[in-house]
Amino acid sequence: MLEIDIARKTYPDRGGRSHVALEGLRLSASPGEFVCLVGPSGCGKSTLLNLVVGLDSDMDGRVQLDGRAPGKDIGVMFQEPRLMPWLSVLENVMLVTSDAHATRARAIELLRAMELGDVLDAYPGRLSGGMQRRVALARAFVIEPALLLMDEPFVSLDAPTADRLRAMLVELWQRRRSTVLFVTHDLREALALADRICFLSAAPGRVVLEVQVSLLRPRAPNDAAVLALQAGLLAQHPDLLAGLITTEPATDA
């Protein structure tokens, strides 16, 4: 179980005063649950992921995974693939492993499942943007993480490539059953992927609405059912994507 309880997270601004990024943010995720975070720009979504992964620990609050501080069993996928240009595709995937010999076969299996079996020894500069994202996705899953954090990993991709990567992500998640915390600005993407969506307020960010998504899988952002859910949510909460909503009970979708 992932449990997040952040009373306050601040940064110093240029004037020496404190900027409050997160305040009163409480969030939990069950083992194997796929949770999407949706909120306006600047609401603290990326700050939250940094706190969860441990890149930043300066906060008034706590983050626990299965009753303890998160450890090395966390996979991360950022907006950019962040591949090492001097390493091969296979070497980039194995970079995050502590036992290369034990995980080599798993890395090759993942890359082949993502249709990258013929470029194992290629360097990232030879790959398209979509292929680089697939390598990054394989790297995130190769350690079989208990928790997978994803910060808008498919942003800027063309729609067909993004759809293909979402399908690969869901397939891997269903096989491995990691808990996923996925940040996105795209409500349709969230509805297509999530078991549950947590909507954040404008800064300082906090959860203002939770929506359970009960649509059968597989789903795609342009499915009629997804579009209908999006329309219904925005009709009920016109300013939802701006984070302007009072706290309400959880909603089923």
Side-chain angles (χ1 to χ4, degrees):
M1 171 75 76
L2 174 66
E3 296 178 288
I4 302 169
D5 187 350
I6 300 174
R8 194 175 177 90
K9 167 61 183 175
T10 62
Y11 292 107
D13 64 18
R14 292 181 180 178
R17 294 169 298 182
S18 292
H19 166 70
V20 183
L22 303 169
E23 189 170 44
L25 188 148
R26 294 175 180 82
L27 171 65
S28 64
S30 300
E33 187 178 18
F34 200 125
V35 178
C36 281
L37 300 178
V38 176
S41 295
C43 73
K45 298 186 296 296
S46 295
T47 295
L48 175 58
L49 293 193
N50 287 336
L51 292 171
V52 173
V53 78
L55 293 176
D56 185 356
S57 59
D58 183 14
M59 63 173 167
D60 178 9
R62 66 182 180 88
V63 176
Q64 291 190 324
L65 181 62
D66 297 331
R68 56 181 173 79
K72 296 181 179 180
D73 52 348
I74 299 180
V76 183
M77 189 171 175
F78 300 98
Q79 294 181 18
E80 298 299 329
R82 299 192 183 184
L83 304 180
M84 303 298 105
W86 58 88
L87 297 180
S88 70
V89 164
L90 181 57
E91 289 169 339
N92 265 285
V93 172
M94 294 174 62
L95 184 64
V96 299
T97 66
S98 57
D99 187 343
H101 178 75
T103 55
R104 180 182 175 87
R106 188 186 310 143
I108 293 173
E109 177 191 1
L110 280 168
L111 289 166
R112 286 176 175 167
M114 295 182 185
E115 302 172 7
L116 294 170
D118 57 347
V119 294
L120 296 179
D121 297 320
Y123 292 98
R126 285 186 47 199
L127 308 181
S128 68
M131 293 171 76
Q132 290 185 23
R133 302 290 177 99
R134 278 185 268 165
V135 176
L137 186 57
R139 184 175 60 190
F141 268 103
V142 72
I143 62 171
E144 298 186 335
L147 175 63
L148 178 59
L149 305 177
M150 311 191 78
D151 190 359
E152 297 189 89
F154 309 136
V155 69
S156 78
L157 292 175
D158 61 85
T161 300
D163 284 344
R164 187 179 183 191
L165 281 168
R166 290 186 196 101
M168 288 181 173
L169 166 61
V170 170
E171 182 180 355
L172 282 171
W173 166 70
Q174 289 178 324
R175 287 168 52 193
R176 311 284 177 169
R177 281 297 171 180
S178 300
T179 301
V180 179
L181 207 56
F182 186 107
V183 165
T184 179
H185 281 94
D186 187 340
L187 179 53
R188 290 182 305 159
E189 179 176 58
L191 289 167
L193 290 173
D195 294 322
R196 178 164 51 99
I197 303 173
C198 293
F199 292 91
L200 301 186
S201 68
R206 70 188 193 286
V207 177
V208 293
L209 182 69
E210 296 188 26
V211 174
Q212 297 285 341
V213 183
S214 57
L215 291 176
L216 295 178
R217 302 180 188 275
R219 318 171 198 145
N222 288 323
D223 286 351
V226 168
L227 295 176
L229 281 179
Q230 176 184 242
L233 277 169
L234 295 181
Q236 186 178 3
H237 306 291
D239 296 319
L240 182 59
L241 299 183
L244 302 176
I245 184 174
T246 55
T247 304
E248 296 186 13
T251 301
D252 289 332

